[in-house]
Amino acid sequence: MEEVKKMPLTEEALLERIRSGKLIEGPEYATERYLEGLKRTLIVSADTELISAPAYFRAAQDAPNINAYISATGIIQDELGHAHIAYRLLRDLGVDTDVLVFERDPKEFKHPYAFDVPLENWTELVVANAFYDRAGFVLLGDVYRHTSYAPWKRALVKVDREENFHLRHGERWMEILAQDPDKKKELQRAVDWMFVLTLEWFGLPDNLKRHTDQIAYGLKGLTNDQLRQEWMKTAVPLCERLGLRVPAHYEPDLGQYVIDVPFPAEFDAERKVWLFEKGPITWDQVLARWKARGPANEELVRSIQRGYEQIRKSLKA
Amino acid sequence: MEQNLWEALKEVLDPEYPVSVVDLGLIRGVEFAQGKAKVRLTFTSLGCPCTEIIREDIRRRLLQVEGVKEVEIEEVFDPWTAENISPKGRLILLELGVT
């Protein structure tokens, strides 16, 4: 018989529970510190899924035919569903998600900087499906395998399946476009700016970032550098197979992928080009760029918040 | 031969869930004559985002069946409901938490 404990949980007891492979079923089984870490992680995930929707929707207008458009909007619908899952988990943890989604300043959103750089045509959209959705797949796959928070683990089964389709869609369209010489040039231009932006997505390298809390609490399993490698493991062969140049290659002696350009580097977000000739920059400079957010940030967030503001105004009137 | 085609189609999975197009109830007829495999295909909804991927997967798999030189896929848009999913398909979906 298991006895129900009413005593406040100590940090040590919680860590012991997680180390022994037990899952946390709800806030009553966790500490404040665990819950704060969980909320931070969930907000990043929720914001990322949410903001991908307007970012993809804008580019989907350039779909080459109706079936392609239906696929793109199907993906957007999935992303909104994934966002809903993560916000719902936050609401269950006592977060006011209406305030979070509809009243937060656009600059306070936690989605990756990559989404703040506008996707402007079908080619860029399908590369986003192949690169960005792959990043999401790698990150959420890691959460699914390692998270100690049971409600999230259960919800991610469906998310994982759907992201699979998004990757497939992106890869399939990259294959189609790569067969046309003009489209292939456009594809290469998209790969040139989007590849490194996705590498950046995984965050600070391990020598600058300590994940002790996140990993001890079982909020993630792999480190940033390991996740970046995971992403390259499938993204690089995809591009090589299609005859697209990427600034990374596999180094058999090291047993891992190596980035062939200065990284991190300065990015001209308006022209969507990397200024590699200026040499590597520091991660502090990257963090400053992220914090300032990119060109499409305001537009994307406002497109989500617009309807809520209109309803609120008309209710007041 | 038709039996071979059905067996091959059982290996063609839905792009999202590991359930075959046969178990999902999407295949509404299979015929074979003079090297040509004909498949009558429906989708779970008119707005199915995966129609092209499903068609491609079916075509690719059937072309691997010995004797098949050509594949013709006819989209029939027969109404589909969840009732059309086989017990096996239902079990797989249930295990994944899809109801």
Side-chain angles (χ1 to χ4, degrees):
Chain A
M1 290 291 280
E2 199 176 333
E3 136 191 31
V4 182
K5 295 199 179 75
K6 296 277 181 205
M7 282 187 317
L9 192 66
T10 65
E11 216 62 47
E12 196 36 55
L14 173 69
L15 287 170
E16 182 50 42
R17 190 184 171 84
I18 293 167
R19 269 196 300 271
S20 72
K22 286 196 183 125
L23 297 177
I24 310 300
E25 274 298 339
E28 62 274 35
Y29 303 103
T31 60
E32 238 358 86
R33 190 158 150 197
Y34 174 94
L35 292 174
E36 286 316 307
L38 174 64
K39 282 183 207 165
R40 263 200 307 277
T41 312
L42 277 170
I43 288 175
V44 173
S45 181
D47 286 355
T48 304
E49 301 278 10
L50 179 68
I51 295 306
S52 73
Y56 289 174
F57 187 64
R58 172 184 176 151
Q61 306 312 310
D62 184 43
N65 59 55
I66 189 76
N67 276 335
Y69 185 70
I70 290 174
S71 296
T73 50
I75 289 172
I76 292 163
Q77 191 181 7
D78 287 347
E79 304 291 13
L80 288 171
H82 302 171
H84 177 73
I85 289 171
Y87 288 121
R88 168 60 200 270
L89 291 169
L90 282 162
R91 201 166 64 205
D92 290 347
L93 292 170
V95 175
D96 184 336
T97 48
D98 280 350
V99 170
L100 194 65
V101 173
F102 298 113
E103 296 181 19
R104 204 169 11 148
D105 183 84
K107 284 197 163 51
E108 297 301 317
F109 274 67
K110 304 295 182 202
H111 56 275
Y113 176 83
F115 278 120
D116 280 350
V117 184
L119 300 168
E120 292 169 301
N121 55 49
W122 183 253
T123 302
E124 291 182 346
L125 176 59
V126 300
V127 176
N129 290 135
F131 284 5
Y132 299 174
D133 284 331
R134 183 182 312 271
F137 186 71
V138 165
L139 287 159
L140 288 178
D142 178 64
V143 171
Y144 174 65
R145 279 186 293 278
H146 296 105
T147 188
S148 54
Y149 193 59
W152 200 7
K153 193 181 183 83
R154 282 192 290 270
L156 282 174
V157 176
K158 166 183 143 82
V159 175
D160 198 67
R161 297 279 163 197
E162 290 175 350
E163 291 292 350
N164 236 332
F165 150 56
H166 304 177
L167 289 192
R168 190 69 211 279
H169 171 80
E171 290 178 4
R172 172 174 179 272
W173 270 98
M174 281 178 75
E175 271 167 36
I176 294 172
L177 297 176
Q179 284 159 21
D180 174 304
D182 286 339
K183 283 290 169 193
K184 189 167 179 180
K185 279 183 202 145
E186 202 174 288
L187 203 53
Q188 183 65 58
R189 278 199 299 277
V191 167
D192 285 344
W193 69 267
M194 295 170 76
F195 186 90
V196 180
L197 215 47
T198 323
L199 290 179
E200 230 182 41
W201 183 315
F202 294 94
L204 293 179
D206 296 350
N207 59 353
L208 296 178
K209 165 126 184 166
R210 294 276 167 258
H211 302 82
T212 30
D213 252 21
Q214 277 177 301
I215 290 180
Y217 279 145
L219 296 174
K220 67 192 279 182
L222 300 179
T223 67
N224 289 359
D225 282 338
Q226 288 170 329
L227 292 163
R228 212 180 333 261
Q229 284 289 328
E230 279 300 305
W231 182 82
M232 282 192 278
K233 231 181 253 178
T234 52
V236 173
L238 166 71
C239 292
E240 286 174 344
R241 179 163 61 79
L242 299 179
L244 298 164
R245 293 180 308 278
V246 282
H249 71 279
Y250 185 70
E251 198 60 63
D253 291 344
L254 297 172
Q256 58 179 3
Y257 282 87
V258 174
I259 301 168
D260 304 321
V261 286
F263 179 76
E266 196 172 318
F267 182 62
D268 181 337
E270 296 299 334
R271 288 166 49 229
K272 302 203 274 200
V273 287
W274 290 96
L275 309 177
F276 295 127
E277 64 281 7
K278 291 191 167 183
I281 61 170
T282 65
W283 277 95
D284 278 340
Q285 289 172 287
V286 177
L287 292 176
R289 162 157 51 81
W290 287 356
K291 204 165 158 39
R293 305 261 35 160
N297 172 254
E298 175 104 12
E299 178 198 326
L300 296 175
V301 174
R302 292 292 178 222
S303 72
I304 296 284
Q305 295 177 333
R306 197 168 52 228
Y308 179 85
E309 272 164 32
Q310 282 165 354
I311 289 172
R312 215 169 42 162
K313 267 184 204 151
S314 61
L315 285 176
K316 274 185 191 161
Chain B
M1 185 62 180
E2 267 98 9
Q3 196 50 41
N4 290 350
L5 298 176
W6 278 104
E7 288 305 317
L9 289 170
K10 283 183 190 165
E11 292 174 19
V12 178
L13 302 185
D14 172 82
E16 290 187 338
Y17 295 99
V19 179
S20 79
V21 290
V22 174
D23 284 312
L24 265 184
L26 301 183
I27 308 296
R28 296 302 162 94
V30 174
E31 284 171 42
F32 182 80
Q34 285 134 24
K36 189 187 210 178
K38 273 192 185 176
V39 176
R40 289 163 51 80
L41 174 69
T42 193
F43 297 109
T44 56
S45 87
L46 270 178
C48 167
C50 300
T51 56
E52 296 195 353
I53 291 181
I54 293 172
R55 290 174 58 109
E56 265 176 25
D57 288 351
I58 289 177
R59 184 179 306 278
R60 198 171 296 161
R61 181 62 190 90
L62 292 185
L63 284 172
Q64 290 169 8
V65 176
E66 213 182 318
V68 174
K69 302 260 177 295
E70 204 186 323
V71 177
E72 185 185 305
I73 298 168
E74 187 194 348
E75 293 179 4
V76 292
F77 292 112
D78 268 356
W80 177 94
T81 76
E83 300 286 305
N84 301 138
I85 305 175
S86 73
K88 182 186 167 197
R90 230 175 286 249
L91 190 67
I92 297 171
L93 290 173
L94 196 67
E95 280 170 356
L96 291 169
V98 183
T99 47

